[in-house]
Amino acid sequence: MFKKILIANRGEIALRIIQACRELGIATVAVFSTADRDSLHVTYADEDVCIGPPASKDSYLNISRIIAAAEITGADAIHPGYGFLSENAHFAEVLQECKIGWIGPRPEVIRLMGDKAKARQTAAAAGVPVLPGSPEPLEGAEHARQTAASIGYPIILKASAGGGGRGMRIVWKEEEIEGQFSTAGEEAQRAFGNGAIYMEKYLVEPRHIEFQVFGDKYGHVVHMGERECSIQRRHQKLIEESPSPALTPALREEMGAAAVALCRAVGYENAGTIEFLLDSDGRFYFMEMNTRIQVEHPVTEMVTGIDLVKLQLEVAMGHKMTVPNGLKPRGHAIECRINAENPDTFAPSPGPLKTFHLPGGPGTRVDTHGYEDYVIPPHYDSLVAKLIVHDRTRGEAIQRMSRALDFFVVEGIHTSIPLHRRILRDDDFIAGKLSTRFMERFLQKHREDGGPGR
Ligand code: MV4
């Protein structure tokens, strides 16, 4: 049993974890940088420890300071949230050596899935469909050229150490392959300290669909359905929903079974996400596995009724999971990420929340660390709130989200609220015609009539 856990994170997810701990009777320790003294996660935690200056590398990414905070406060375990150290296998290993618990999968599994080329091979070996490509990282420009010739263009080059869209290059014709391969390798070496590059056939306009998975310490693995995450800009998701308008119950079962097969193959424990691309013919392909709780986990919570963060804590304490596999989604949930940014230019907009009125009412949830007069610091990501709605049908959920966005009042900074209101009125969005190019097309459409925020 955990008596006390430390939360190695900030913002809304730190608060979300504190809520779950309180319901389970677990005491909490917040860590914070000097930029976050006035943050709600510090206010609500039972104890708090300042771990350094604003820069993440000196605070939320500083392993020795976080471990020192855990030892001083006598925390039994650490919850890493998302981002920061959540997928750092070395951190999870060091905690093992220090006899501090880790609320997440085993370090070996984090490391395996962090190597995107190995993750792809592991998926293929578990019988999960992958796109045609190079099983091993490419050995040189000539190997890249030959592999691309056999797959056919367009192809995509991906950094083995990348992920989440970082370090990717699309190549449309043979003339470009050798140059692009060299540049991709140099960039990956600089960005990740690892220049390994692998190749896949490039799907031009797929959907991004991910499955929530969960495992306990006794080999019980389940999937909890999907999230449609196609609405993104520069690999930052803007809107997520569950269920996906593109899945039939049969396809959900097939994709869910593939996700579970991969988890079984690696002995997966705790919360995870399997990302797939889905093409217009209903074929799906493994992309990546994320070995953490995700920003968009609330849409799954709304359609399954499961508290995923509570479940993370329970399975980490050795509870047996009693969740049935492949729960049928109940109703429809949508999440809009409310960012502190200019809705037309997407420039960050940190600063004081002069007015901060949250929407409420049936099926309406707001996960936020914001409050009136809170000042959003400029040092971290721009997420101020997640607005999540649940209703019986997708159409009703869209109506409910539009109403909730209208009743969400933020003054003092720019936010993405006006952009969301616009997307929710878009014909393609309403029709469920989504793809990874949705935002590109949407912004193009609305450039003519004075910017997406209007
Ligand atoms: C792809 C792809 C198409 N074909 N791989 C982006 C995030 C990372 N998880 C994988 N990603 C993609 N991989 C193949 N073989 C399309 C994406 C992709 C994407 C690409 C360009 C611009 C926006 C995108 C949004 C989601 C996914």
Side-chain angles (χ1 to χ4, degrees), residues 226-246:
E226 78 282 4
R227 296 182 287 259
E228 161 93 55
C229 301
S230 296
I231 303 192
Q232 39 181 291
R233 183 185 163 272
R234 300 201 178 161
H235 305 294
Q236 290 297 318
K237 294 165 189 159
L238 289 167
I239 300 181
E240 305 95 347
E241 60 181 295
S242 186
S244 164

Side-chain angles (χ1 to χ4, degrees), residues 131 156 158 164-165 168 200-203 206 208 232 235 275 277 287-288 436:
L131 281 156
I156 186 165
K158 298 183 176 183
M168 303 187 338
E200 281 178 350
K201 175 93 189 152
Y202 179 64
L203 289 185
H208 174 140
Q232 39 181 291
H235 305 294
E275 295 183 2
L277 294 180
M287 262 313 93
E288 298 181 8
T436 52

Side-chain angles (χ1 to χ4, degrees), residues 264-285:
R264 290 231 165 86
V266 299
Y268 199 80
E269 183 190 322
N270 218 288
T273 297
I274 316 262
E275 295 183 2
F276 293 106
L277 294 180
L278 179 68
D279 72 15
S280 43
D281 304 322
R283 282 179 296 230
F284 66 90
Y285 305 95

Side-chain angles (χ1 to χ4, degrees), residues 369-405:
H369 60 297
Y371 59 90
E372 214 139 275
D373 290 331
Y374 171 65
V375 182
I376 296 162
H379 314 281
Y380 312 106
D381 77 7
S382 64
L383 187 76
V384 241
K386 303 188 304 204
L387 174 57
I388 309 110
V389 301
H390 182 228
D391 210 332
R392 286 172 302 188
T393 63
R394 185 170 188 270
E396 289 169 295
I398 293 172
Q399 290 297 344
R400 181 161 277 174
M401 180 61 87
S402 301
R403 181 272 299 169
L405 287 164

Side-chain angles (χ1 to χ4, degrees), residues 82-104:
Y82 52 68
F84 296 121
L85 296 170
S86 61
E87 295 182 282
N88 187 313
H90 170 69
F91 181 49
E93 261 164 13
V94 174
L95 292 180
Q96 246 171 18
E97 285 158 26
C98 299
K99 306 263 189 281
I100 299 171
W102 166 251
I103 297 154

Side-chain angles (χ1 to χ4, degrees), residues 341-353:
E341 65 188 22
N342 184 304
D344 299 320
T345 64
F346 298 96
S349 178
L353 301 176

